[in-house]
Amino acid sequence: MHPKIGSLLSRFPRVELVPWETPVQYLPAVSEAVGADVYIKRDDLTGFGIGGNKIRKLEYLLGDAISRGCDTVVTMGAVHSNHAFVTALAAKKLGLEPVLVLRGREELRGNYLLDRLMGIETRVFEVGKTTELIPIAEKVAEELRVRGKRPYLIPIGGASPIGTLGYVRAAGEITSQSSDLGLEFDTIVDAVGSGGTLAGLTLGLSLIGSRAKPVGMGVGIFGGDMGEKVLKLAEEAGKLLGVSVKLERPRIYDYSFGAYGKIVREVAELIKWVETKEGILLDPVYTGKAFYGLMELAGTGELGERILFVHTGGLPGLFHYGEEMLRLMQKP
Ligand code: 5PA
């Protein structure tokens, strides 16, 4: 761990869910295809449940919940939400009762199947946008309070200043690993959904004084202007840490392909290519779209000569949308 980041974070309660530093690997076939050196930070292997970026945020979110004496956790997301499933799983492990407020149709696949298999309480609503779940989740928390419970409400994707600390910590880990490997990255790229991962990286890299620039690939809008939202979240997390830093608004490119959760053929084809060339599994909602953006922009030189992709997990998405991907790829 980077000493400055380690000392800034030391006073925040954290439950350890990530038992190791996730590996950084070189991707030879991808690098050859785009003409730049591309590495991957394997945060799909964070080591709890299905892995992914949410585990790092949950270390601080659930640490905070426990230190406040909460006994229930309420969070929200789409029915395919990776965040919702791992939050509920980690809450259960720690003895807190989870309630998930979800958007979509109750199809038994992907994460929703896992939610049901693990006996997690779910309440599903057919609303149009995930943000419409916010007042519903607040009502659920209120209902729990009336029943004498102490709920801890986690926003979409864990994108609160506390959750953001998870990726401030990860920025420290990446910086120490890259210096051990003798590498200096020009850009560090990730998929942007709720924005907490990019916000944490932006703040962490800036605190360290790293020359690596955080770059986001937007996979859909979760309310308002994403660049502004990420910057604000990074600034709020900075305040929480008690530091004053002048942060640059990170670059975010739109790789939503028209809508959040829209499954498209180009991404399905790329997932197949990366999987068979590198043995790395991406998903069609987040990492597949972000990696498509990385390859397209790296090919033009826009991301510099040495690029790190943060693999944020999401494997269940392949099992939620796999049939649709196959149908798209089989179309003439
Ligand atoms: C998600 C988000 P941020 O939300 O921190 O921007 O991360 C984007 C992201 N990769 C990247 C994967 C696999 C993700 O699941 N998922 C959300 C969810 O509900 O699962 C928050 C949307």
Side-chain angles (χ1 to χ4, degrees):
M1 174 46 58
H2 190 277
K4 180 168 181 190
I5 298 289
S7 92
L8 280 170
L9 290 173
S10 62
R11 69 190 169 87
F12 292 90
R14 166 178 170 252
V15 288
E16 192 186 81
L17 297 171
V18 187
W20 44 58
E21 294 195 341
T22 59
V24 171
Q25 280 174 265
Y26 182 61
L27 297 178
V30 172
S31 299
E32 196 190 330
V34 299
D37 282 333
V38 181
Y39 291 77
I40 190 163
K41 168 78 171 157
R42 298 293 306 274
D43 271 11
D44 52 326
L45 307 178
T46 37
F48 181 86
I50 55 166
N53 55 345
K54 300 304 166 330
I55 314 297
R56 291 191 186 271
K57 303 181 187 187
L58 287 167
E59 290 195 314
Y60 288 99
L61 287 163
L62 296 178
D64 190 42
I66 291 169
S67 77
R68 290 172 190 271
C70 296
D71 54 14
T72 29
V73 173
V74 179
T75 197
M76 62 206 112
V79 278
H80 64 228
S81 174
N82 300 302
H83 159 73
F85 171 62
V86 284
T87 298
L89 195 67
K92 272 191 180 275
K93 181 186 165 172
L94 296 167
L96 306 167
E97 223 13 77
V99 181
L100 299 182
V101 178
L102 303 174
R103 170 185 68 80
R105 273 186 295 144
E106 295 189 57
E107 291 170 305
L108 288 177
R109 38 168 98 194
N111 280 310
Y112 187 65
L113 175 61
L114 293 173
D115 295 338
R116 297 294 298 275
L117 277 172
M118 304 305 148
I120 292 160
E121 183 180 340
T122 54
R123 304 197 193 174
V124 184
F125 300 86
E126 289 205 17
V127 293
K129 281 196 255 150
T130 310
T131 45
E132 289 174 49
L133 295 174
I134 299 169
I136 303 176
E138 279 164 359
K139 233 183 250 161
V140 169
E142 189 47 38
E143 197 187 288
L144 290 165
R145 250 177 244 121
V146 170
R147 282 183 14 219
K149 298 280 186 192
R150 301 199 57 178
Y152 187 84
L153 184 61
I154 298 182
I156 298 167
S160 70
I162 292 272
T164 299
L165 300 183
Y167 270 86
V168 172
R169 186 182 173 85
E173 188 175 307
I174 289 170
T175 307
S176 312
Q177 281 177 309
S178 40
S179 89
D180 288 349
L181 293 165
L183 294 170
E184 267 201 32
F185 294 111
D186 294 311
T187 46
I188 299 180
V189 178
D190 84 312
V192 180
S194 65
T197 305
L198 186 62
L201 290 174
T202 302
L203 176 60
L205 292 172
S206 159
L207 287 171
I208 294 164
S210 167
R211 58 172 287 278
K213 297 278 177 236
V215 175
M217 300 293 168
V219 299
I221 298 292
F222 282 76
D225 173 343
M226 252 353 260
E228 251 339 283
K229 184 181 171 193
V230 169
L231 187 62
K232 193 159 164 262
L233 196 51
E235 283 169 353
E236 282 171 5
K239 267 193 212 133
L240 193 67
L241 288 173
V243 291
S244 73
V245 270
K246 181 96 192 78
L247 296 173
E248 254 176 63
R249 189 183 158 126
R251 269 145 66 194
I252 302 180
Y253 298 89
D254 182 0
Y255 275 94
S256 63
F257 290 83
Y260 168 68
K262 181 175 171 193
I263 308 303
V264 294
R265 182 179 182 145
E266 302 93 298
V267 173
E269 297 282 4
L270 178 74
I271 289 173
K272 180 178 163 197
W273 186 84
V274 174
E275 192 168 321
T276 49
K277 293 287 181 190
E278 303 281 10
I280 303 278
L281 297 165
L282 302 171
D283 78 283
V285 179
Y286 302 101
T287 55
K289 287 184 175 178
F291 207 81
Y292 188 99
L294 180 147
M295 288 195 66
E296 190 165 88
L297 297 175
T300 67
E302 180 103 359
L303 300 175
E305 283 167 17
R306 201 163 286 140
I307 305 157
L308 180 69
F309 179 69
V310 181
H311 190 327
T312 43
L315 179 64
L318 274 179
F319 297 98
H320 195 106
Y321 294 109
E323 270 178 58
E324 201 172 331
M325 290 166 65
L326 203 54
R327 258 200 315 276
L328 289 171
M329 287 193 289
Q330 283 167 346
K331 263 195 192 159

